[in-house]
Amino acid sequence: MDDDPTTEILDATYQALCTHGYAEFTVQDIAAESTMSKASIHYHYDSKEDLFVAFLDYLYDRYTAQIEAVTGETPRRKLRSLLELLVTDNGETPETEFRTAMLEVKAQAPYNEEIQERLVEFDAVLFERLEEIIEARVSRGEFTGRIDPSVAAESLTTTITGAHTRRVAVDHSTDKLYEMMTRYIQTNLLTEMTVEGRQ
Amino acid sequence: MDDDPTTEILDATYQALCTHGYAEFTVQDIAAESTMSKASIHYHYDSKEDLFVAFLDYLYDRYTAQIEAVTGETPRRKLRSLLELLVTDNGETPETEFRTAMLEVKAQAPYNEEIQERLVEFDAVLFERLEEIIEARVSRGEFTGRIDPSVAAESLTTTITGAHTRRVAVDHSTDKLYEMMTRYIQTNLLTEMTVEGRQ
């Protein structure tokens, strides 16, 4: 375990959020998930709101590191690994509950400027990473010349967001969504030459 | 105003939902938005939950009628009108607040089977309508032969869902999202022959 007490608090926040959801979780629930008391948590964070904003910043750092670390021999494989990271899930309980809690947080964004600012950062970093990979593909000739990288990145950012929402709201299989997106890329973004394994 | 008291209650539910959000609205708030008392509302619906499920059924009927009524001389124009109906908004307050409340409802779906069943119906009717329009386009030769209507409809359903989420979570302009989707259709779904007004 990390020795930094704030890291312990933020890890416990993740657990409390999965168990209770955003509206319901309390600093007491976080204490219950950690070795710390409610008082020691309040020593680090004045309110649940402050703590939650710090939690989003912590998630953002991990998220950025994960999407930057996506590898692949070609831009195309990189794009596929990125979708795999973001869209598939292994059906484990905490992951499903975390997605649900994050959708709840998104619905709170119009009422909380600090939360909305963070969500805008998550959205922007995904868009930029997608655009960067697609630009590299266009310059390698893997893409049809008709593709504008910023339009394709905008479209994929929206589709990935929709995949997360449908996963929670209508229990839509992420495998089906992942398959749809890889077919979308194969059918719409790749030049005939680079299509491999089309169904 | 409709003489049916349940219609009055459900219209008032829409207003109460926009004003207070899903978690906070009460039967008292609905009474405040109508000419009826809390007791007369309870005469028709046992609980807030029953009332809300009836409200979703009422919305579903209106939604289905709206997406069925979309017209256009060609399937392509029909698809564009459907996107216009579903993705653009006029920036009026109730519409924005209603989208936020509906995102809140989506985050509740995993905890409420009756709500999730209704959301699945909304999702399915959109998918089916899109698939039907795209199939008509393929048979008219407006589409590239590479398109599988069910994959394209799945992709558009996910993208439209994502557009609604981003509208609320990151305050993303619906005009920008609408423009992106029409460009996506122009670039990816249409044969060169049928592309008009490409940018």
Side-chain angles (χ1 to χ4, degrees):
Chain A
M1 182 168 289
D2 199 306
D3 285 342
D4 181 353
T6 60
T7 306
E8 190 189 342
I9 295 169
L10 299 173
D11 284 338
T13 303
Y14 176 89
Q15 295 301 332
L17 194 65
C18 291
T19 310
H20 305 281
Y22 173 73
E24 303 288 334
F25 90 94
T26 62
V27 174
Q28 185 56 56
D29 295 326
I30 298 170
E33 299 283 354
S34 74
T35 63
M36 298 172 77
S37 67
K38 195 174 151 186
S40 1
I41 296 172
H42 275 302
Y43 171 81
H44 294 281
Y45 302 101
D46 284 342
S47 65
K48 175 182 156 178
E49 288 63 35
D50 285 350
L51 195 162
F52 192 71
V53 167
F55 174 70
L56 287 179
D57 288 336
Y58 170 69
L59 274 189
Y60 177 78
D61 291 340
R62 297 207 309 186
Y63 181 72
T64 308
Q66 276 184 318
I67 69 172
E68 286 302 327
V70 154
T71 54
E73 284 165 30
T74 61
R76 186 182 161 215
R77 287 182 194 279
K78 223 180 255 181
L79 186 54
R80 193 181 270 238
S81 305
L82 185 61
L83 287 184
E84 207 172 304
L85 171 72
L86 295 173
V87 179
T88 62
D89 72 34
N90 52 18
E92 280 176 16
T93 309
E95 199 165 352
T96 306
E97 289 174 346
F98 183 66
R99 281 192 206 284
T100 304
M102 285 307 291
L103 192 60
E104 212 186 333
V105 172
K106 288 177 185 174
Q108 292 304 313
Y111 308 114
N112 187 319
E113 207 175 310
E114 287 200 283
I115 288 180
Q116 188 157 67
E117 273 171 22
R118 267 68 183 184
L119 296 181
V120 167
E121 287 172 0
F122 278 87
D123 188 270
V125 79
L126 174 59
F127 170 83
E128 283 156 19
R129 183 70 172 127
L130 285 164
E131 193 183 29
E132 178 197 337
I133 295 175
I134 296 166
E135 266 167 6
R137 293 177 64 164
V138 169
S139 62
R140 279 172 61 106
E142 284 191 345
F143 263 6
T144 71
R146 300 199 295 168
I147 295 298
D148 172 337
S150 77
V151 173
E154 175 80 13
S155 171
L156 279 171
T157 302
T158 310
T159 310
I160 290 167
T161 307
H164 291 161
T165 303
R166 291 180 84 202
R167 177 72 188 83
V168 174
V170 301
D171 199 16
H172 205 69
S173 148
T174 46
D175 288 347
K176 198 169 165 188
L177 290 166
Y178 174 70
E179 192 202 324
M180 175 274 290
M181 281 203 235
T182 51
R183 287 189 66 178
Y184 158 89
I185 291 168
Q186 286 173 351
T187 313
N188 299 313
L189 301 190
L190 300 179
T191 56
E192 287 294 351
M193 242 178 66
T194 57
V195 173
E196 298 160 17
R198 263 183 75 199
Q199 288 169 21
Chain B
M1 181 168 291
D2 199 304
D3 285 343
D4 181 352
T6 60
T7 306
E8 191 189 340
I9 296 169
L10 299 174
D11 284 338
T13 302
Y14 177 88
Q15 295 301 333
L17 194 65
C18 291
T19 310
H20 305 281
Y22 173 73
E24 303 288 334
F25 91 94
T26 62
V27 174
Q28 185 56 55
D29 296 325
I30 298 170
E33 298 283 352
S34 75
T35 63
M36 298 171 78
S37 68
K38 194 174 151 186
S40 2
I41 296 173
H42 274 301
Y43 171 81
H44 293 281
Y45 302 101
D46 285 343
S47 64
K48 175 183 156 178
E49 287 64 36
D50 284 351
L51 195 161
F52 192 71
V53 167
F55 174 70
L56 288 179
D57 288 337
Y58 170 70
L59 275 189
Y60 178 78
D61 290 342
R62 296 207 310 186
Y63 182 71
T64 308
Q66 278 184 318
I67 70 174
E68 286 303 327
V70 155
T71 55
E73 284 166 30
T74 60
R76 186 183 160 213
R77 286 182 195 281
K78 221 181 255 180
L79 186 55
R80 192 182 271 239
S81 305
L82 184 61
L83 288 184
E84 206 171 304
L85 170 72
L86 295 174
V87 179
T88 63
D89 72 33
N90 52 18
E92 280 176 18
T93 309
E95 200 165 349
T96 306
E97 290 173 347
F98 182 66
R99 280 192 207 285
T100 303
M102 286 307 291
L103 192 60
E104 213 185 331
V105 172
K106 288 176 186 174
Q108 292 303 314
Y111 307 114
N112 187 318
E113 206 174 312
E114 286 199 285
I115 288 180
Q116 188 157 67
E117 273 171 21
R118 268 68 184 186
L119 295 181
V120 167
E121 286 172 1
F122 277 87
D123 189 90
V125 80
L126 174 60
F127 170 82
E128 284 156 20
R129 184 69 172 126
L130 286 164
E131 192 182 31
E132 178 197 337
I133 296 175
I134 296 166
E135 266 168 6
R137 293 177 65 164
V138 169
S139 61
R140 279 173 61 104
E142 284 191 345
F143 262 6
T144 70
R146 300 200 295 170
I147 296 297
D148 173 338
S150 77
V151 173
E154 175 80 12
S155 170
L156 278 171
T157 302
T158 309
T159 311
I160 290 167
T161 306
H164 292 161
T165 302
R166 291 180 83 203
R167 176 73 187 81
V168 173
V170 300
D171 200 17
H172 205 69
S173 148
T174 47
D175 288 347
K176 198 169 165 188
L177 290 166
Y178 173 71
E179 193 203 322
M180 173 276 289
M181 281 203 237
T182 51
R183 287 190 66 180
Y184 158 89
I185 291 168
Q186 285 173 352
T187 313
N188 299 313
L189 300 190
L190 300 178
T191 56
E192 288 293 350
M193 243 178 66
T194 57
V195 173
E196 297 159 17
R198 264 182 74 199
Q199 290 167 18

